[in-house]
Amino acid sequence: MTSSLETVGNGEDVTTQIRDIRAAQPGNLMARYFDEAYYCSLDEAKRERLHKIIRSGIENPDSQMGAYAQNCTDYEDFEPLLEPMIRDYHNISDDRLIAQEHDWATPTSGYNLEGVDARLKDVSMRVRVGRNIGAFPLPGAMTKSSRLEFETLLIEAFSVLMEDPEFGGEYLSLTPGSSCEIDEETYRRRIEAHQMFKDMSGDPYLESGGISSDWPYGRGMYISGSQDFIVWVGEEDHLRVMSMKRGSDLSALFSRLHGGLETLAKLIPDFAHSERYGYLTSCPTNLGSAMRASLHLPLPNLTKEGRDLEHVKETALDLSLAVRGVGGEHSEAGEGGIVDISPRARLGVTEAEIMQCLYEGSVALWSLENAN
Ligand code: ARG
């Protein structure tokens, strides 16, 4: 086996490569904060580990973050590089402590968009959290057999969930030969319904991070009978736990996720968590609450019928919201100027605050959309 020093970027010296990336791609946070002196201070074993973490940012110079943790301990072990990247991305200045508190209890009731405008009674709403289990390496470092072992553990937990009338449902596996394996047509339909994740092996960032390796082994999805509680297994994080509904009641969406998450947590080993960084995730962009709450809003005026997202992105920034197209990350607006709105912050904000931001921000955008 060749050492990763050779395999990262054709044997060229890593520090030279990163220097070039820093000059060409100032947005790549890994390259921006990579410090040669720190790198040189590491012993060979730690350098190898670091290479795996930053490989995605080297092989994909246009990365925004440019790193994926391979093990939960990486955040501590490589703090001199990762912490400045995390502070920058999450907008936490050096004079502030990084700390994550959780709050699912502050009432988020009353976040009903239909009460704002009857036209908002049937929007697509989704809230997800990333979770990883400390007892396994993160997805980038898993072997085919640990991916399969992980899926088996989860299938056992889901079988308990399925007995519970509040959940029911089924587990759909992508693992060839699994007793829960689904056919291609079913998989395609689940993707179309935005329930299942896409073939990750086509994502160059995930591939360089080792996250899509062994595709599709150990990958699958649990979905509740009512189709509103979903758990992805083996995507960018061990688990992506989410609630999805069409409607207008963001509070109901949030409590469905919370209830499902609590029930699931009792059936599996502990989630990896740190006081400073909250729930530990593969990608440092997701640390903290690891939560992304979003809804699809038709904003034809603000997006010029979907032709221009730039203006609405700027407006949304003031409301602490990010805007993307409805086809997921890096997509453009859909028909009728439908866009995906979500609070930007993940780290240093509580779950309840994220829901509040989504509700208040979308109400504000809606009133701008409908002004004059
Ligand atoms: N690794 C990519 C980058 O650094 C993705 C970052 C955020 N997206 C994600 N799905 N984690 O730009």
Side-chain angles (χ1 to χ4, degrees):
M1 204 158 89
T2 49
S3 87
S4 58
L5 247 171
E6 260 86 33
T7 52
V8 172
N10 315 326
E12 224 185 289
D13 179 38
V14 163
T15 57
T16 320
Q17 278 184 319
I18 296 179
R19 217 178 293 147
D20 292 347
I21 295 172
R22 187 185 305 144
Q25 298 280 353
N28 183 322
L29 294 179
M30 179 281 295
R32 186 183 304 170
Y33 291 103
F34 181 86
D35 177 56
E36 280 178 39
Y38 168 64
Y39 176 76
C40 293
S41 75
L42 300 174
D43 64 27
E44 191 155 340
K46 269 191 110 177
R47 273 190 210 181
E48 290 249 342
R49 283 178 61 197
L50 186 60
H51 284 151
K52 292 203 174 126
I53 299 168
I54 64 177
R55 182 168 182 158
S56 190
I58 296 174
E59 294 184 349
N60 304 282
D62 66 344
S63 290
Q64 207 190 344
M65 180 54 81
Y68 290 108
Q70 302 284 312
N71 280 283
C72 290
T73 52
D74 289 352
Y75 286 106
E76 249 178 61
D77 295 348
F78 298 95
E79 196 166 300
L81 172 61
L82 295 176
E83 187 190 300
M85 293 165 58
I86 292 166
R87 284 188 179 275
D88 187 313
Y89 182 87
H90 294 277
N91 223 341
I92 305 174
S93 54
D94 290 346
D95 54 350
R96 278 169 54 209
L97 286 178
I98 302 179
Q100 178 63 37
E101 283 180 23
H102 301 286
D103 174 14
W104 294 83
T106 297
T108 53
S109 53
Y111 293 167
N112 197 331
L113 297 165
E114 196 180 355
V116 176
D117 187 330
R119 286 176 293 168
L120 293 177
K121 68 176 192 315
D122 191 32
V123 298
S124 155
M125 312 178 290
R126 181 178 181 270
V127 54
R128 64 88 168 145
V129 292
R131 291 288 186 271
N132 292 283
I133 289 179
F136 286 82
L138 288 172
M142 285 172 108
T143 59
K144 187 171 168 185
S145 68
S146 63
R147 293 182 204 280
L148 291 171
E149 190 191 329
F150 182 77
E151 188 187 29
T152 305
L153 185 84
L154 265 293
I155 289 176
E156 275 168 41
F158 295 139
S159 68
V160 179
L161 216 53
M162 287 179 227
E163 296 295 304
D164 182 337
E166 243 191 83
F167 296 94
E170 57 188 323
Y171 181 72
L172 313 173
S173 179
L174 300 181
T175 299
S178 160
S179 58
C180 313
E181 187 185 1
I182 52 169
D183 59 28
E184 280 202 21
E185 176 55 20
T186 310
Y187 178 44
R188 200 188 53 76
R189 273 191 285 108
R190 294 291 183 172
I191 292 176
E192 243 171 48
H194 301 286
Q195 293 167 331
M196 189 63 152
F197 49 101
K198 295 181 190 147
D199 182 340
M200 299 153 73
S201 59
D203 182 320
Y205 304 93
L206 295 180
E207 194 179 330
S208 302
I211 294 175
S212 57
S213 299
D214 310 309
W215 176 266
Y217 288 87
R219 274 62 176 221
M221 164 180 89
Y222 162 79
I223 182 160
S224 68
S226 48
Q227 313 281 294
D228 64 352
F229 180 68
I230 292 176
V231 184
W232 289 356
V233 177
E235 209 243 10
E236 186 178 309
D237 291 300
H238 288 153
L239 301 174
R240 287 279 173 98
V241 184
M242 66 198 82
S243 176
M244 266 176 72
K245 284 176 195 282
R246 282 199 75 91
S248 67
D249 189 351
L250 288 172
S251 313
L253 181 81
F254 185 62
S255 23
R256 179 62 166 156
L257 172 65
H258 188 213
L261 190 57
E262 289 210 311
T263 307
L264 178 66
K266 290 191 192 110
L267 304 171
I268 54 179
D270 288 346
F271 296 137
H273 183 270
S274 100
E275 256 174 47
R276 297 183 69 210
Y277 295 134
Y279 288 103
L280 300 176
T281 50
S282 288
C283 184
T285 62
N286 281 318
L287 291 170
S289 61
M291 180 164 133
R292 182 175 190 280
S294 62
L295 53 87
H296 290 176
L297 268 192
L299 300 177
N301 295 330
L302 294 179
T303 64
K304 301 204 179 73
E305 301 295 332
R307 287 190 306 273
D308 174 22
L309 287 197
E310 288 321 303
H311 163 70
V312 70
K313 278 186 184 169
E314 255 171 60
T315 312
L317 208 57
D318 294 333
L319 299 165
S320 307
L321 296 172
V323 177
R324 49 158 99 150
V326 292
E329 227 174 346
H330 315 301
S331 69
E332 293 306 313
E335 227 167 290
I338 299 179
V339 290
D340 174 300
I341 309 289
S342 68
R344 303 173 68 84
R346 310 253 190 283
L347 177 59
V349 289
T350 69
E351 292 79 3
E353 284 165 344
I354 292 176
M355 291 313 288
Q356 185 182 357
C357 173
L358 178 61
Y359 177 71
E360 289 173 358
S362 48
V363 170
L365 274 182
W366 187 248
S367 81
L368 289 172
E369 168 71 18
N370 292 290
N372 62 62

